[in-house]
Amino acid sequence: MKVIPVPCLSDNYAYVLVDTEGKRVAVIDPVDPEKVLAQVESLGMKLEAVLTTHHHADHSGGNNEVAKAKPGLEIFGGDLRIPSMTKQLQDGEEFTLGSLHVRVIQTFGHTTSSICYYVQDKLNDERVVFTGDTLFVGGCGRLFEGTPQDMYDSLNVKLAALPRDTKVYAGHEYTNSNFKFARSVDGDNSDLIAKALRCAALSITMPSTIGEELDTNPFMRVDQPALQKATGKTDPVEVLAAVRQMKDNF
């Protein structure tokens, strides 16, 4: 399995997911169709599917053009607001892309159309998750349609349960600004400090891993004393709500 980040717009990421065994390709959130399809064409492999993380136009806005360019393409999504969708997915649903195994993780919070795609290459013992605007490196998405409880469940129940070595590919390059905020509420975290320094020198900070996020992301550390002290809360959901509000105003 190979994942190729494709920077789009000002700070978005689309991704090209390559099944290196079966010589097949899927794309995630191809918001710049010309750029993404050019990357696909350079590989000389068959494009089989579009995986849409949520309905916002800066993620799903290229679907119609990709569908026109590639008739018969399967376009997956989480609700009826996904343009050109051919298959609406449910939480826990599983399917294959060539030799790759995909599991759908419904992750409400940012929107009620948000889903993450957990992809396993069992032949090579590799695993990745495409998290859209639910989980960022060092942060999470704003709560436009969901509640703090929704986001807590998405991050700290569902995504936190994935293997620590799962590579995380998020929907935006927000890493350095996220770390500035994270250090304001969790400033003694040596793992956070070290990762922030590493990422400061990078133009593309993807991928992270689930393990690194559990160690450095304040929204996945809401049970830790440092975050409880910063917010004055002890209930993890209330801590997440408070940290999100602090980030919104940072």
Side-chain angles (χ1 to χ4, degrees):
M1 172 169 56
K2 181 178 182 181
V3 177
I4 304 170
V6 183
C8 297
L9 307 179
S10 61
D11 53 33
N12 277 71
Y13 283 114
Y15 295 99
V16 177
L17 172 64
V18 183
D19 169 20
T20 52
E21 299 294 329
K23 307 298 183 185
R24 301 177 186 185
V25 175
V27 294
I28 296 84
D29 291 350
V31 66
D32 185 335
E34 183 176 355
K35 196 172 185 181
V36 174
L37 291 177
Q39 181 67 65
V40 172
E41 293 298 325
S42 73
L43 298 170
M45 298 181 189
K46 182 183 178 183
L47 177 60
E48 294 220 330
V50 173
L51 311 183
T52 314
T53 62
H54 63 295
H55 73 279
H56 285 164
D58 62 326
H59 294 264
S60 69
N63 283 13
N64 289 339
E65 188 173 335
V66 173
K68 290 178 182 177
K70 300 289 183 180
L73 196 63
E74 191 85 275
I75 298 181
F76 296 101
D79 79 6
L80 295 176
R81 292 174 290 181
I82 305 300
S84 295
M85 184 175 65
T86 62
K87 170 68 174 175
Q88 183 172 347
L89 298 167
Q90 305 299 321
D91 188 35
E93 191 167 346
E94 300 182 1
F95 58 95
T96 58
L97 291 167
S99 68
L100 304 180
H101 182 270
V102 184
R103 175 160 61 88
V104 176
I105 306 174
Q106 194 173 59
T107 48
F108 291 168
H110 181 62
T111 71
T112 54
S113 66
S114 294
I115 55 178
C116 296
Y117 296 90
Y118 177 55
V119 184
Q120 297 178 81
D121 180 343
K122 297 183 178 181
L123 292 174
N124 295 298
D125 193 28
E126 296 173 335
R127 61 214 120 255
V128 305
V129 62
F130 297 98
T131 57
D133 286 2
T134 295
L135 173 63
F136 297 129
V137 180
C140 75
R142 289 176 180 262
L143 303 182
F144 289 126
E145 296 181 358
T147 65
Q149 182 71 62
D150 289 333
M151 187 61 86
Y152 176 84
D153 290 342
S154 295
L155 297 177
N156 295 292
V157 178
K158 294 181 176 183
L159 293 178
L162 298 177
R164 282 182 61 91
D165 66 352
T166 303
K167 293 179 179 179
V168 175
Y169 291 93
H172 288 270
E173 184 55 66
Y174 290 162
T175 301
N176 289 324
S177 62
N178 283 343
F179 281 150
K180 287 179 184 177
F181 170 74
R183 293 180 69 171
S184 76
V185 293
D186 197 12
D188 293 330
N189 182 338
S190 60
D191 292 325
L192 168 60
I193 294 168
K195 183 163 185 180
L197 289 174
R198 290 197 307 273
C199 288
L202 303 174
S203 59
I204 296 178
T205 61
M206 306 301 148
S208 183
T209 67
I210 290 294
E212 289 176 355
E213 294 309 305
L214 287 168
D215 293 340
T216 63
N217 189 321
F219 297 97
M220 299 186 81
R221 288 172 50 78
V222 292
D223 60 343
Q224 296 299 307
L227 276 300
Q228 294 173 350
K229 181 179 179 180
T231 59
K233 309 287 185 182
T234 56
D235 177 81
V237 176
E238 293 181 359
V239 173
L240 187 146
V243 174
R244 184 63 259 176
Q245 186 173 30
M246 293 166 71
K247 178 65 167 68
D248 290 346
N249 296 320
F250 186 69

